[in-house]
């Protein structure tokens, strides 16, 4: 595993962000593993180190960014810190009546170059909801980024939608944790209680 991944893994372990159990993901899928990135940002010094690594990848790739936007809640801190490193505006989208939108006076001006960031990408559902918001304002999506890639794909965005072919996806660590549809979940069949991350205290790996 490359050195950058080892550094990130060390931070994830130190902060207790790697979890074992029975988790209901935001996608609705179930998994025996979860990465609670909020635990990393509980420690600002580690959060800053993580974001520095993401920002360095983006800067090295020469991607020009005007606005960094992330979905609430997981993408808020990441968007803010990446925006700071890239000298770009940082905003977040949030759901109102189950619809992702910009609130609180946030705007994206037509033609602005937008980078969409997340803490963890699994199915990309939240990110694609933000894509719709960005496009409704006339923003130009220039790429995607996350701390963790657990989609099972190198670039899930261009694989899911060909219009994003060639748009870069930057991430630090790729995890191939198993996921299950609820009706096929062996953890459910074993009677192991399922929790939505954050709903109660969980033990670190």
């Amino acid at each position: 595993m490359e050195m950058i991944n080892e550094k990130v893994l060390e931070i994830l372990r130190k902060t207790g962000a790697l979890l074992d159990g029975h988790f209901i993901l935001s996608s609705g899928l179930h998994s025996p593993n979860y990465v609670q990135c909020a635990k990393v940002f509980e420690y600002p010094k580690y959060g800053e180190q993580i974001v520095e690594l993401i920002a360095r990848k983006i800067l090295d790739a020469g991607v020009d960014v005007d606005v960094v936007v992330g979905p609430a809640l997981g993408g808020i801190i990441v968007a803010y810190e990446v925006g700071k490193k890239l000298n770009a505006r940082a905003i977040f989208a949030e759901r109102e009546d189950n619809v992702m939108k910009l609130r609180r006076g946030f705007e994206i001006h037509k033609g602005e170059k937008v980078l969409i960031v997340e803490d963890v990408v699994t199915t990309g559902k939240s990110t694609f909801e933000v894509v719709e918001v960005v496009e409704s304002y006339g923003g130009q999506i220039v790429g995607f980024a996350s701390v963790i890639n657990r989609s099972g794909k190198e670039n899930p965005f261009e694989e899911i939608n060909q219009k994003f072919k060639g748009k870069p996806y930057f991430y630090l660590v790729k995890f191939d944790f198993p996921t299950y549809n609820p009706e096929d979940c062996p953890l459910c069949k074993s009677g192991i209680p399922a929790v939505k991350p954050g709903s109660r205290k969980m033990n670190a790996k």
Side-chain angles (χ1 to χ4, degrees):
M1 189 170 288
E2 58 182 291
M3 188 179 301
I4 188 172
N5 285 4
E6 288 294 351
K7 182 174 182 179
V8 175
L9 286 171
E10 181 184 357
I11 291 173
L12 292 174
R13 292 187 183 109
K14 278 183 178 178
T15 57
L18 287 175
L19 305 171
D20 283 330
H22 181 187
F23 306 105
I24 302 172
L25 308 180
S26 59
S27 62
L29 298 175
H30 290 205
S31 178
N33 308 99
Y34 189 77
V35 183
Q36 181 57 275
C37 274
K39 293 292 291 179
V40 174
F41 294 101
E42 181 180 356
Y43 304 91
K45 69 174 183 179
Y46 291 130
E48 186 173 8
Q49 291 173 29
I50 289 284
V51 172
E52 179 68 42
L53 294 172
I54 299 173
R56 179 49 51 195
K57 284 194 166 194
I58 298 163
L59 290 168
D60 287 348
V63 179
D64 187 21
V65 178
D66 297 315
V67 185
V68 181
V69 57
L73 288 169
I76 294 178
I77 296 177
V78 184
Y80 178 83
E81 291 293 336
V82 170
K84 184 165 64 174
K85 299 292 183 184
L86 300 183
N87 195 29
R89 284 170 42 231
I91 62 177
F92 60 87
E94 57 190 310
R95 288 187 181 88
E96 183 180 48
D97 298 326
N98 212 32
V99 177
M100 193 73 80
K101 59 181 64 175
L102 295 183
R103 300 176 64 198
R104 306 171 197 275
F106 291 146
E107 291 182 319
I108 295 171
H109 305 297
K110 187 173 182 179
E112 282 193 307
K113 300 177 179 67
V114 181
L115 178 77
I116 301 177
V117 303
E118 266 269 36
D119 54 354
V120 181
V121 167
T122 304
T123 63
K125 179 179 181 291
S126 295
T127 300
F128 278 113
E129 289 181 88
V130 177
V131 164
E132 292 181 5
V133 174
V134 172
E135 292 181 336
S136 73
Y137 281 83
Q140 177 189 345
I141 296 168
V142 295
F144 307 90
S146 69
V147 177
I148 307 296
N149 174 7
R150 58 168 302 178
S151 70
K153 302 176 176 66
E154 192 60 31
N155 187 333
F157 307 107
E158 69 174 14
E159 290 188 40
I160 293 172
N161 194 323
Q162 285 297 299
K163 75 178 179 180
F164 297 122
K165 192 153 186 72
K167 302 290 185 186
Y169 169 43
F170 305 95
Y171 64 87
L172 297 182
V173 176
K174 185 177 182 182
F175 287 122
D176 292 320
F177 294 145
T179 57
Y180 311 103
N181 289 316
E183 60 272 18
D184 301 319
C185 177
L187 302 166
C188 289
K189 293 175 181 176
S190 298
I192 301 172
V195 296
K196 289 186 176 181
S199 63
R200 66 176 176 85
K201 185 176 179 180
M202 295 172 288
N203 295 321
K205 201 176 205 176

